[in-house]
Amino acid sequence: GQSGGQATVRTPFQCADSLNVDWKTAIPKGSNNVTIWTGTWNIGGCRINEDLSPWLLRGLEREGGIVLPDVICIGLQEVVGLTDQKRQCGFAMNAARIDRQCATIYNYTKDNVTKAWRRTVEKCLTKVVMFATEGSSLTTKKKEDEEDTKTPQTDGSSPQDPSSEYCCVVCKQMVGILSLVFVRRKWRKKVTNMRTYHMGTGFMGVGKNKGAIGSWFEINGLRCLFANAHLDSGQAAVEKRNQSLSLILKDFQVRHGDVDLMLLAGDLNYRLDFDNTERVCNLIRNCEYKILLSADQLAKQMAAAKAKSNGDDDDDDDDDDTDDGARITKCMRMLREPQITFPPTYKLVPMTNEYSVNEKNGKVRMPAWCDRILYVVSSNAEASKAVSNIFYTATPLYSSDHKPVSALYHVVLDEDI
């Protein structure tokens, strides 16, 4: 938080971005189209009792039904509250596989956080599928769906059963970070080489309270990585966040090689470099996001890295990743982000749509886009794989002091894959 220019007028979170997607042009007809929905939400250790459907459905409505994404990647943070020290310690030791010590501190085997969230999401996806089946069409790939219904299901489920439309292929937790990946039934046999890895960057640089979970999979030959990250908080921790992010992506690349498409989602915790909260709140109320984004720490880091790259003709030999500056520049240069058209997603008063600017302890919180979804397309795959962003938005759910963010990507696969 910062102490300058306290806001005296309430500032509501208003998602005014229009998501009227032209699905005919967004997803061309053809069997080689794959849609990937990605979402991130820091739930602040809260018990979520509200319906997740507005988040999962936002932007997917179309005339006559709902567009069902082929892949759904969900990244949650703080599923274990930061103030819940016993559970934090227990899950951290579990992540480090120090099981015997962990059992004396916290019996994590009886904690059903992962199972509870998986059930919650599965129930919501069933509801989404039911919404879709009420329309005249499930997706633009209706013909493929009809062919699928003629094929006997090896898992014994009925093709018409909404609860069997999505299969969970990844369910991985590291302390408060939880990754879930679901794939539509018709793509399940084409999803291969699934693996996960988690990396801690928190306490002493290795603590599991911060860090990322990487989930790798191939879908019809497309090599994908879904990275769910939670970086260090604080206005002044820019360099720490840069360091952690670059180390995570480098480590993931070293361990599992290059991918065609990486989706990076999470509470990256980058803040706004403003010293006047009143002005920031006025800009939010007037939806003047371009001015705010000019002070966004992540946007500035990415712009600076690209400017440096353009100015250095010999920058191609930047494989000296032992140098922190070179590694961070390389990391920031390859990251891409769709245009932000929604208000800052942090910090809000839980169970409201109002920003928590002036707190009871006298601390002033500067609103910020802490929750982001970035992507990286491999340079050697860019010519053969067409990746496009269909939408990038936030949803006004109420339980947490963060708002959930979502994005939908469309990928055209090679004809010969």
Side-chain angles (χ1 to χ4, degrees), residues 139-153:
T139 66
T140 55
K141 298 185 277 294
K142 183 178 178 182
K143 185 177 180 180
E144 287 186 20
D145 287 354
E146 291 174 348
E147 292 176 354
D148 255 7
T149 59
K150 300 175 184 177
T151 304
Q153 301 300 302

Side-chain angles (χ1 to χ4, degrees), residues 51-167:
D51 185 10
L52 302 181
S53 297
W55 178 31
L56 298 179
L57 283 170
R58 180 161 170 76
L60 298 178
E61 303 88 350
R62 60 172 295 171
E63 185 178 354
I66 302 293
V67 173
L68 295 181
D70 299 310
V71 182
I72 293 177
C73 302
I74 297 176
L76 302 173
Q77 304 84 41
E78 294 188 30
V79 295
V80 177
L82 295 178
T83 58
D84 195 339
Q85 296 180 1
K86 281 189 176 182
R87 296 176 81 209
Q88 282 276 340
C89 185
F91 275 103
M93 287 187 171
N94 181 24
R97 294 188 174 88
I98 312 178
D99 296 343
R100 190 168 297 175
Q101 294 182 37
C102 178
T104 65
I105 297 173
Y106 179 72
N107 191 352
Y108 62 88
T109 59
K110 293 184 178 179
D111 195 305
N112 294 318
V113 172
T114 302
K115 292 180 180 178
W117 267 105
R118 177 173 172 172
R119 285 197 299 267
T120 298
V121 174
E122 286 176 337
K123 288 180 180 178
C124 189
L125 287 178
T126 299
K127 185 185 296 185
V128 169
V129 174
M130 291 175 67
F131 287 154
T133 56
E134 289 174 359
S136 60
S137 174
L138 287 181
T139 66
T140 55
K141 298 185 277 294
K142 183 178 178 182
K143 185 177 180 180
E144 287 186 20
D145 287 354
E146 291 174 348
E147 292 176 354
D148 255 7
T149 59
K150 300 175 184 177
T151 304
Q153 301 300 302
T154 58
D155 59 1
S157 61
S158 167
Q160 289 79 28
D161 181 8
S163 65
S164 69
E165 181 63 34
Y166 282 98
C167 309

Side-chain angles (χ1 to χ4, degrees), residues 301-356:
Q301 296 292 318
M302 292 168 62
K306 288 178 175 62
K308 183 177 179 181
S309 175
N310 293 334
D312 294 341
D313 294 334
D314 299 327
D315 201 46
D316 291 335
D317 59 348
D318 56 0
D319 291 330
D320 181 18
D321 291 332
T322 58
D323 178 77
D324 289 349
R327 187 182 63 249
I328 292 171
T329 298
K330 183 178 180 180
C331 166
M332 291 295 173
R333 188 174 67 242
M334 68 180 184
L335 293 174
R336 304 182 186 181
E337 183 174 28
Q339 181 181 356
I340 292 179
T341 58
F342 51 88
T345 56
Y346 177 82
K347 180 183 183 182
L348 294 104
V349 179
M351 304 310 298
T352 75
N353 260 342
E354 293 187 0
Y355 287 95
S356 176

Side-chain angles (χ1 to χ4, degrees), residues 373-384:
I373 299 176
L374 313 176
Y375 70 103
V376 177
V377 180
S378 176
S379 57
N380 60 6
E382 201 161 5
S384 59

Side-chain angles (χ1 to χ4, degrees), residues 273-285:
D273 286 330
F274 267 98
D275 57 5
N276 190 306
T277 312
E278 182 70 46
R279 186 186 176 209
V280 168
C281 290
N282 286 333
L283 291 171
I284 292 174
R285 284 192 288 268

Side-chain angles (χ1 to χ4, degrees), residues 99-272:
D99 296 343
R100 190 168 297 175
Q101 294 182 37
C102 178
T104 65
I105 297 173
Y106 179 72
N107 191 352
Y108 62 88
T109 59
K110 293 184 178 179
D111 195 305
N112 294 318
V113 172
T114 302
K115 292 180 180 178
W117 267 105
R118 177 173 172 172
R119 285 197 299 267
T120 298
V121 174
E122 286 176 337
K123 288 180 180 178
C124 189
L125 287 178
T126 299
K127 185 185 296 185
V128 169
V129 174
M130 291 175 67
F131 287 154
T133 56
E134 289 174 359
S136 60
S137 174
L138 287 181
T139 66
T140 55
K141 298 185 277 294
K142 183 178 178 182
K143 185 177 180 180
E144 287 186 20
D145 287 354
E146 291 174 348
E147 292 176 354
D148 255 7
T149 59
K150 300 175 184 177
T151 304
Q153 301 300 302
T154 58
D155 59 1
S157 61
S158 167
Q160 289 79 28
D161 181 8
S163 65
S164 69
E165 181 63 34
Y166 282 98
C167 309
C168 183
V169 296
V170 172
C171 184
K172 179 72 172 178
Q173 182 180 359
M174 181 184 76
V175 192
I177 305 174
L178 175 61
S179 291
L180 296 163
V181 178
F182 294 86
V183 178
R184 286 192 71 184
R185 182 182 63 247
K186 64 183 178 181
W187 284 103
R188 179 61 187 89
K189 291 183 179 180
K190 297 180 181 180
V191 175
T192 59
N193 296 328
M194 291 171 289
R195 56 199 184 277
T196 62
Y197 173 74
H198 60 261
M199 177 180 177
T201 62
F203 182 69
M204 299 294 288
V206 295
K208 309 293 184 180
N209 59 314
K210 292 292 192 293
I213 297 174
S215 304
W216 288 262
F217 58 92
E218 292 185 24
I219 179 166
N220 212 30
L222 179 75
R223 299 171 301 170
C224 300
L225 164 60
F226 170 54
N228 174 18
H230 190 189
L231 304 182
D232 291 77
S233 62
Q235 183 76 24
V238 183
E239 286 305 315
K240 173 61 175 171
R241 288 190 281 271
N242 293 345
Q243 182 98 306
S244 297
L245 186 56
S246 62
L247 285 172
I248 288 168
L249 298 188
K250 176 61 180 177
D251 192 60
F252 282 3
Q253 190 272 334
V254 168
R255 288 179 179 273
H256 295 284
D258 294 326
V259 295
D260 299 323
L261 173 64
M262 179 185 75
L263 296 170
L264 169 65
D267 179 4
L268 305 186
N269 256 320
Y270 285 94
R271 309 303 172 97
L272 294 178

